[in-house]
Amino acid sequence: MPAMTAVDADARAGAGTPGEAVGPLVRGVAVLRRLTEAGGTLSPSALERATGLARSTVDRITGTLGRMGYVRLDGRDVVLTPRVMELGNAYLAALRLPALLDARADALADELDESVSLAVADLDGIRFIHQATRRRALSVSFRIGDLLPAERTAPGALFATEWTEPDWTRWRERRAEDAQDASFPAVPPRAEPTNDSSSTSSKPSAPGSSPGSCADSFTERVERARRDGWAVDDQLIEPGLVAVSVPVRDPGTGRVACVASVVSHTSRHSAADLRTSLLPRLRTAVQAMETDLRTAPAPEPGPAPAGLATWTTASKHELGRDFVESLARGLTVLTAFGEGRSALPLTEVARATGLSRATARRALLTHEHLGLVTARPDRTFALTPRVLDLGFPPLSRTTLPRLAEPHLRALADAVREPTALAVLTSDGKEIQYTAGAGTSRVLTVRIAVGTRLPATATSLGRALLADSAAPLSPTLTEVRSQGYALVDEELESGLRSIAVPVRDRTGRTVAALNVSTHAARRTLRDVVADLLPALHATAARIQQDLHTASRFTHVPPS
């Protein structure tokens, strides 16, 4: 049978699915995968071509996904939203490895000033579950959820040391069918080995490690990894990229739980240099990671989702045939899993979602067919890394301004006044505008992104400063107490603005959001009565997206 490292071809047309599979769920997953491959945005006509589905079907699916908050319509395009990351978050929370090991990976990246990643096995591929990337002009662009072929990575060789003969057979079949790795959108296509001896990067130091490596060279590298306990990627993905990897072993089974890698490029480190300069420190970090796994307390099950079946039923009643209830219910099954709920029997899945056993069972069988769920010998089900295919990679590198922009536009349209998002500069004396949305008024506020203004003279600055731990002035004390900052013609005559804070998952203020108006249009009472409720509601929506997106990824505030 075809290897499942490639994007599931059955999802494209719905062909070859088991008799009990939920067809709309298969097609809905195909739409999410095509959007993910395209970077998060496609027009409905492009989705029609990419999936092979009828336009009416695409419209119903995207309408349902929009109702769930997983996509939004932006002009003529369908765009993935941060809320779809809930699906990948369910897998990462159930896995526990990111929560337990991310801090170690981040600290190692800071120590070495190099990118550090954590990856898990995904059949005959590897998939990233954490990236600590250095912000350089030349840096690694892989994202959480990206899938790479095992033979073109150092982690792949380490995972392959535990492969069984069926695993090797699956890998060989996939290599025969997809020799150019076209089914791995995160990696460049294979290139012919260069014979340019003048290039210092033209000859990888490890035998057979050029981009055109054959099966024999991969098996050799696997044996070397088995012997050494570590592996090197000497430009297997593309010229110039090098990495060294060490397995992090499960303390209970001794098997590879994940692989930690330090990634660099040949202008900074050669492959041989990775072994001498970076490998010892990577091994020390991995030892600490394994200690963390061994000493971590058993997870406390978090709250299961509630009322999902009731919500889907109500949506169906409201929207009629435009809402594909079987798709919505099938996707909610994935959110039944999470921290302390890594493997669930059918009864628990049904209880968590409020679905009947029969409905939950058909959804699980469909997800198993699509590679999103695996059935275990103990009659429980668990999520697979493939859940990260559903929107996670393009959103894992988002920023707060990108999250906020659609909400700012909606707010500006609703109140017919300009809106803006800003952060404090490092010295705390100024604010810097990071996003905004204007209106079609003749008399309006136009402040470009990147503009800096004195923090104490702006509503945005006061909303940010009021969260400071330092002793507050009476003005800032009042701002903190009332939850908003109102500035009347202090920065410029006629300009009134009101701002509220935007808080991260810890409750810390990371940005502020405001609406500005002219004094002739609204009194101070009107500003508070008419604009503040909409401002609070918008801040809450931005915070919801931020909290979802930042659960397992870093979301820069600017």
Side-chain angles (χ1 to χ4, degrees):
M1 113 179 162
M4 289 185 65
T5 356
V7 175
D8 191 354
D10 288 340
R12 184 179 180 89
T17 57
E20 292 187 276
V22 183
L25 179 55
V26 173
R27 294 186 283 273
V29 167
V31 167
L32 287 175
R33 281 175 164 161
R34 298 297 91 76
L35 281 167
T36 302
E37 293 166 5
T41 303
L42 277 178
S43 67
S45 58
L47 274 171
E48 182 183 357
R49 292 190 297 271
T51 60
L53 299 173
R55 175 59 182 268
S56 59
T57 302
V58 169
D59 289 343
R60 292 182 66 214
I61 288 173
T62 55
T64 301
L65 295 174
R67 178 72 168 192
M68 300 181 76
Y70 292 166
V71 304
R72 59 179 170 83
L73 293 179
D74 188 354
R76 296 182 178 180
D77 291 331
V78 180
V79 182
L80 292 173
T81 68
R83 189 167 181 180
V84 78
M85 296 178 77
E86 291 176 344
L87 304 176
N89 285 345
Y91 164 72
L92 295 172
L95 184 66
R96 290 194 78 203
L97 293 177
L100 294 175
L101 306 182
D102 282 5
R104 296 284 187 188
D106 293 345
L108 181 63
D110 290 340
E111 176 190 348
L112 302 180
D113 194 27
E114 299 287 357
S115 296
V116 173
S117 66
L118 300 176
V120 295
D122 188 350
L123 297 183
D124 59 337
I126 71 137
R127 198 178 291 270
F128 294 112
I129 59 170
H130 182 69
Q131 290 280 3
T133 305
R134 300 294 87 186
R135 299 187 71 174
R136 296 194 182 102
L138 187 63
S139 61
V140 178
S141 62
F142 288 131
R143 307 158 300 183
I144 295 175
D146 275 339
L147 178 68
L148 277 60
E151 69 275 12
R152 292 180 67 178
T153 69
L158 292 164
F159 286 121
T161 62
E162 298 181 342
W163 282 3
T164 62
E165 188 53 38
D167 294 325
W168 282 104
T169 298
R170 178 174 54 231
W171 174 75
R172 293 187 187 98
E173 290 176 347
R174 189 262 297 165
R175 288 287 297 118
E177 294 175 1
D178 185 20
Q180 295 301 312
D181 297 333
S183 57
F184 294 87
V187 298
R190 290 176 181 270
E192 293 298 324
T194 177
N195 293 319
D196 180 9
S197 59
S198 66
S199 171
T200 59
S201 63
S202 64
K203 292 186 178 181
S205 59
S209 60
S210 68
S213 296
C214 63
D216 289 342
S217 68
F218 181 53
T219 58
E220 291 170 4
R221 288 192 290 111
V222 172
E223 290 307 311
R224 191 179 305 119
R226 191 192 314 277
R227 181 186 68 240
D228 296 339
W230 53 274
V232 167
D233 168 358
D234 188 1
Q235 306 174 78
L236 298 171
I237 293 294
E238 66 179 10
L241 185 67
V242 291
V244 60
S245 301
V246 173
V248 181
R249 298 193 177 273
D250 185 293
T253 65
R255 294 178 61 83
V256 180
C258 68
V259 171
S261 303
V262 178
V263 186
S264 188
H265 57 82
T266 50
S267 296
R268 293 176 60 84
H269 293 281
S270 67
D273 185 39
L274 293 178
R275 175 180 178 178
T276 57
S277 62
L278 301 185
L279 179 59
R281 285 182 279 182
L282 175 58
R283 279 178 155 165
T284 298
V286 166
Q287 289 175 355
M289 291 179 184
E290 292 177 337
T291 298
D292 291 341
L293 293 182
R294 187 170 55 252
T295 58
E300 291 290 334
L308 296 177
T310 302
W311 178 86
T312 59
T313 299
S315 296
K316 181 65 174 178
H317 287 160
E318 179 182 344
L319 301 178
R321 68 179 306 274
D322 291 333
F323 184 78
V324 187
E325 188 175 16
S326 56
L327 167 59
R329 289 188 164 187
L331 290 176
T332 63
V333 163
L334 299 177
T335 65
F337 299 85
E339 186 173 4
R341 306 191 308 277
S342 60
L344 296 175
L346 173 59
T347 53
E348 288 299 320
V349 174
R351 181 179 299 115
T353 57
L355 300 172
S356 69
R357 281 173 54 93
T359 299
R361 177 177 175 276
R362 289 192 67 201
L364 288 168
L365 289 175
T366 305
H367 288 313
E368 185 179 14
H369 163 69
L370 297 173
L372 302 172
V373 164
T374 183
R376 297 187 170 187
D378 62 357
R379 300 175 67 84
T380 62
F381 295 87
L383 301 181
T384 74
R386 191 140 310 189
V387 174
L388 295 174
D389 266 344
L390 308 183
F392 212 92
L395 293 168
S396 68
R397 287 284 180 88
T398 193
T399 63
L400 181 55
R402 289 179 189 168
L403 293 180
E405 281 169 358
H407 301 293
L408 294 178
R409 291 197 299 269
L411 176 60
D413 290 343
V415 300
R416 298 194 66 238
E417 300 285 4
T419 68
L421 187 80
V423 297
L424 274 178
T425 56
S426 57
D427 61 9
K429 295 181 180 180
E430 294 180 309
I431 60 165
Q432 182 172 8
Y433 286 79
T434 58
T439 66
S440 58
R441 290 184 182 275
V442 175
L443 183 61
T444 188
V445 177
R446 290 188 177 90
I447 300 178
V449 169
T451 298
R452 295 188 176 195
L453 293 174
T456 56
T458 63
S459 62
L460 289 163
R462 291 179 186 178
L464 288 161
L465 292 170
D467 193 51
S468 171
L472 301 180
S473 66
T475 297
L476 294 181
T477 299
E478 181 181 11
V479 170
R480 175 182 285 187
S481 174
Q482 64 190 14
Y484 66 90
L486 179 62
V487 170
D488 182 26
E489 303 188 76
E490 294 183 37
L491 184 66
E492 183 175 329
S493 297
L495 179 63
R496 287 174 176 161
S497 66
I498 187 168
V500 297
V502 175
R503 304 183 187 278
D504 64 13
R505 290 177 59 85
T506 68
R508 183 174 62 94
T509 296
V510 293
L513 170 70
N514 87 336
V515 174
S516 300
T517 187
H518 189 271
R521 288 205 293 266
R522 299 180 191 266
T523 66
L524 290 177
R525 183 184 297 274
D526 291 338
V527 169
V528 175
D530 299 341
L531 301 182
L532 184 59
L535 198 59
H536 275 311
T538 301
R541 285 190 283 270
I542 294 173
Q543 287 175 168
Q544 183 180 37
D545 283 353
L546 175 61
H547 297 174
T548 299
S550 63
R551 186 172 179 186
F552 293 104
T553 65
H554 172 61
V555 179
S558 60

